[in-house]
Amino acid sequence: MSAVLNSARGVAGAPYFTSVVTVVLLAVLLLAGGAAYPGFLSWQVMLNLLIDNAFLLVLAIGMGLVILSGGIDLSVGSVLALTTMVAAWLLNTAHWPPAVVIVAVLAMGALFGAAQGAIIHYFQLQPFIVTLAGMFLARGLCYLISIESITIDDPLFVAVSQVQVPVLGGFLSVGALVALALLAATIWVSRRTAFGRAVYAIGGNEQSALMMGLAVGRTRMLVYSFSGLCASLGGVLFAFYMLSGYGQHAQGTELDAIAAVVIGGTLLSGGYGYVAGALSGVLVLGTIQTLIAFDGTLSSWWTKIVIGALLFLFCVVQRLLSARVPS
């Protein structure tokens, strides 16, 4: 009996414990939904979780690397909105080709993120403050372009928004496929490359990383540049999804991305976690939203309430287990 108890304590103290809990929680939510609502567990409803949250998954992937490096990025939701506004203006007013517009806004996001990373590193400022300033700056720039919503009627954007890729009797959108491809690529980079190992090392102990000779400044700039790129890519996918640019798009989405990463098992203090956890975290949030939509009697604000409670719970569990995470 003592051996069984010791084994149970070992599993509960393992650093992957919260990731396992997230997967179990997702399964429980899905089973509960299937028992309560007919059709909840249909294949297309499951695929819709990816379709409706593709942009959030992309943001969470970028946020995951930032948090792994010991930082935070509060600007991603505003950069997403700015991307939709710039793309809509370039398409409708400047009449740029859509392919050029997509490349331009992705470059804009990457440069915005790199600038934040450089300021954080070279001026030794807190990421929270720098990215909070970036959040206000990007959101303000949206309203310099227009205070109204700009409809996107470009034929390529409209066509992409309507594409349905067959998947085992159901379908996925282009945005969902892009998000899954980015997830797979980022998992490989985080686990199989020197850059990925440097991100974990910096998040675990920056001073040790410096003594090991790692390029901390360059790595941090690349991490924030990647987060900005993901925010802009999320903006492109959101523009496909909504076919509009608007300064109020994605209000509070940066907090949803952080919640998805933490619920997915990444330590908020950095240094430990799985990029793949972003997917399970996003699916948990999406499942909660779908359960409330199927119920039909609950306010959408219940989504925020449940997510807040879960995030609080996961942060407490991480704090209790963090002392047992190997350095």
Side-chain angles (χ1 to χ4, degrees):
M1 177 63 71
S2 61
V4 173
L5 289 175
N6 288 335
S7 177
R9 292 191 189 101
V11 171
Y16 56 79
F17 178 68
T18 52
S19 298
V20 175
V21 170
T22 302
V23 175
V24 172
L25 174 62
L26 177 60
V28 169
L29 289 173
L30 291 174
L31 291 175
Y37 308 111
F40 183 86
L41 289 179
S42 68
W43 180 233
Q44 190 54 52
V45 170
M46 297 299 99
L47 293 178
N48 285 345
L49 291 176
L50 286 172
I51 294 173
D52 295 338
N53 295 284
F55 71 94
L56 179 58
L57 177 56
V58 171
L59 263 62
I61 292 168
M63 186 70 74
L65 280 190
V66 171
I67 292 178
L68 282 172
S69 72
I72 201 78
D73 189 352
L74 299 179
S75 68
V76 293
S78 298
V79 172
L80 183 154
L82 180 61
T83 297
T84 66
M85 288 295 287
V86 171
W89 186 86
L90 290 176
L91 289 168
N92 291 5
T93 303
H95 303 293
W96 284 23
V100 176
V101 168
I102 292 173
V103 172
V105 295
L106 292 179
M108 175 194 72
L111 290 173
F112 191 93
Q116 291 188 127
I119 293 171
I120 290 168
H121 178 73
Y122 291 109
F123 291 92
Q124 294 296 298
L125 296 174
Q126 289 294 323
F128 180 91
I129 298 300
V130 175
T131 59
L132 181 65
M135 179 183 75
F136 288 127
L137 173 62
R139 190 70 69 175
L141 290 173
C142 291
Y143 297 109
L144 286 182
I145 298 173
S146 175
I147 60 174
E148 304 292 339
S149 176
I150 303 176
T151 301
I152 297 176
D153 54 9
D154 178 82
L156 177 63
F157 273 66
V158 173
V160 171
S161 71
Q162 296 173 349
V163 171
Q164 297 180 348
V165 181
V167 178
L168 301 175
F171 66 86
L172 282 175
S173 65
V174 171
L177 294 176
V178 169
L180 291 174
L182 178 66
L183 177 66
T186 308
I187 290 172
W188 182 85
V189 168
S190 68
R191 290 293 177 177
R192 300 294 182 182
T193 67
F195 169 74
R197 291 188 288 271
V199 170
Y200 278 91
I202 294 169
N205 191 312
E206 183 176 334
Q207 292 303 315
S208 295
L210 284 169
M211 288 189 289
M212 291 166 59
L214 297 178
V216 173
R218 183 179 66 187
T219 302
R220 179 168 287 125
M221 286 180 62
L222 288 174
V223 165
Y224 280 92
S225 180
F226 179 71
S227 180
L229 176 66
C230 287
S232 281
L233 179 57
V236 172
L237 300 185
F238 201 79
F240 288 148
Y241 187 71
M242 298 293 291
L243 288 179
S244 68
Y246 190 30
Q248 293 191 27
H249 277 333
Q251 291 273 12
T253 305
E254 57 279 347
L255 303 181
D256 291 335
I258 294 170
V261 171
V262 174
I263 291 173
T266 298
L267 290 181
L268 194 56
S269 57
Y272 183 84
Y274 306 98
V275 173
L279 177 61
S280 58
V282 167
L283 290 178
V284 166
L285 302 191
T287 301
I288 293 170
Q289 292 173 339
T290 305
L291 281 169
I292 291 173
F294 264 76
D295 181 88
T297 62
L298 296 174
S299 167
S300 60
W301 286 109
W302 275 101
T303 302
K304 301 296 184 183
I305 295 171
V306 175
I307 291 173
L310 281 176
L311 183 58
F312 176 78
L313 177 62
F314 272 78
C315 286
V316 170
V317 171
Q318 286 187 0
R319 182 68 184 89
L320 293 175
L321 299 179
S322 60
R324 309 179 73 171
V325 176
S327 57

